[in-house]
Amino acid sequence: MVDKQTESSRENVKKIISIGLIGYGGIGKLHTVNWRNLHLYYPDIPVKLNLRGAAARTRESADQAVLQGGFEYGTTDYQELLDDPEISLIDICTPNNLHYPIFKAALEAGKHIYCEKPLALNLEEAEEMLRLAESSDRIIQLVFNYRFIPAIMKAKQLIDEGFLGDVINFRTQYLHTGYLNPEKPISWRLSQDISGGGALVDLGSHVIDLMLYLAGPFKRIMAQTKTFVDQRPVGAGSRETAEVLVDDHAQLMVELTAGGVGIVEVSRVAQGTTDDLNLEIHGSQGSIKFDVMDPNWLYVYDAREKKGPLGGSHGFKQIQTMHSYPGNQIPGERSLVNTMGMHANSQYQLIQAVLGLKPASPSTRDGYYVQQVLDASYRSAREERWIEL
């Protein structure tokens, strides 16, 4: 006979998802804000989300996670979160070199996983993570947050309905300017051993995922990478410098499995840019355009429309997408899209997957495909040749 305490405990498990966050830096804090407010954004979530524990690199950051983030406790040892029986979901917000060991340990501890991009430090780790994921019954979702912009969600819907026809070509860019300053000191994003690459990993993983998602699988790649600032200070104001071994800029020529072609360009040294992610996909029946600096609209062209006098209504049209997330209540569908909104929807989709309401997407396999492209691109740049996937 089951006693009332055990019965009550089992009921609580059903009603509470306790979260353990590893990495309380900028992205970890962004995730934290959304975990705290997800019920306000999406009131249909049928469980309580509990910020149980946070692991950070320093004691100071761990304490901030409690005082500012609202976690019940903070630690500098992430194993404490994995050993905590109350935590069911681990949110990995660490530098790239820690993704694999935490991912592996979290699965061994029976936790669900929400993992920042890219999946791994390299393809070898990604292959092992895919194997571990596919032999586990745990829910795992990757944080490719740009999928969760209503305009991109609308583009995916149109593409799946055949709006584009056959993809003929695509172009996508993701441009930043933050690494133009040669006095910017070495950080983990500039370390090959910690990040696994430069602009191509940092920015390219996002747009590569979007093109795989929207345009289809890649067949082969020709890539070029370039490092413009090859020596940087080891610390702020230091005269001592260290060699930079990762790329500042990368460009890829892509051939799709279905026959189309594409161009990917990413840069962290593009003067005057801020967070300039844009894409266009041209098909046999239509085209789409999107720019994250103009995020409330999807631009579409339908070649099936008949031309009339003075062009009729032929041409690119704006589809107003704005904050049109199904189930979202705050700030509402007439509000402007922002970074918090796309991350919040990504986290909402994860909770639905944990509750068994839908599959987790982007999946570990999606992350693995991106890692394949990153690996092939760096090999192509080194060997100056096309690389087959």
Coordinates of all heavy atoms in Angstrom, one line a residue, residues 305-315:
E305 N 1.6 34.6 -59.1 CA 0.7 35.7 -59.2 C 0.8 36.2 -60.6 O 1.9 36.4 -61.2 CB 1.0 36.8 -58.2 CG 0.6 36.4 -56.8 CD 0.8 37.6 -55.9 OE1 1.1 38.7 -56.3 OE2 0.5 37.4 -54.7
K306 N -0.3 36.5 -61.2 CA -0.4 37.1 -62.6 C 0.0 38.5 -62.6 O -0.5 39.3 -61.7 CB -1.7 36.8 -63.2 CG -2.1 35.4 -63.5 CD -3.4 35.2 -64.1 CE -3.7 33.7 -64.4 NZ -5.1 33.6 -65.0
K307 N 0.7 39.0 -63.6 CA 1.0 40.4 -63.7 C -0.1 41.1 -64.4 O -0.8 40.5 -65.3 CB 2.3 40.6 -64.5 CG 3.6 40.1 -63.9 CD 4.8 40.4 -64.7 CE 6.1 39.9 -64.0 NZ 7.3 40.2 -64.9
G308 N -0.4 42.3 -64.0 CA -1.5 43.1 -64.6 C -0.9 44.4 -65.1 O 0.3 44.6 -65.2
P309 N -1.8 45.3 -65.5 CA -1.4 46.6 -66.0 C -0.5 47.3 -64.9 O -0.8 47.2 -63.7 CB -2.7 47.4 -66.2 CG -3.7 46.3 -66.4 CD -3.3 45.1 -65.6
L310 N 0.6 47.9 -65.4 CA 1.5 48.6 -64.5 C 2.0 47.6 -63.4 O 2.4 48.1 -62.3 CB 0.8 49.8 -63.8 CG 0.3 50.9 -64.8 CD1 -0.4 52.0 -64.0 CD2 1.4 51.4 -65.6
G311 N 2.1 46.4 -63.7 CA 2.7 45.4 -62.8 C 1.6 44.8 -61.9 O 1.9 43.8 -61.2
G312 N 0.4 45.3 -61.9 CA -0.6 44.8 -61.0 C -0.2 44.8 -59.5 O 0.4 45.8 -59.0
S313 N -0.4 43.7 -58.9 CA 0.1 43.6 -57.5 C 1.3 42.7 -57.4 O 1.7 42.2 -56.3 CB -1.0 43.0 -56.6 OG -1.4 41.7 -57.1
H314 N 2.0 42.5 -58.5 CA 3.2 41.6 -58.6 C 4.3 42.3 -57.8 O 4.5 43.5 -57.8 CB 3.6 41.5 -60.1 CG 4.3 40.2 -60.3 ND1 3.8 39.0 -60.2 CD2 5.6 40.0 -60.8 CE1 4.7 38.1 -60.5 NE2 5.8 38.7 -60.9
G315 N 5.1 41.4 -57.1 CA 6.3 41.9 -56.4 C 6.4 41.4 -55.0 O 5.5 40.6 -54.6

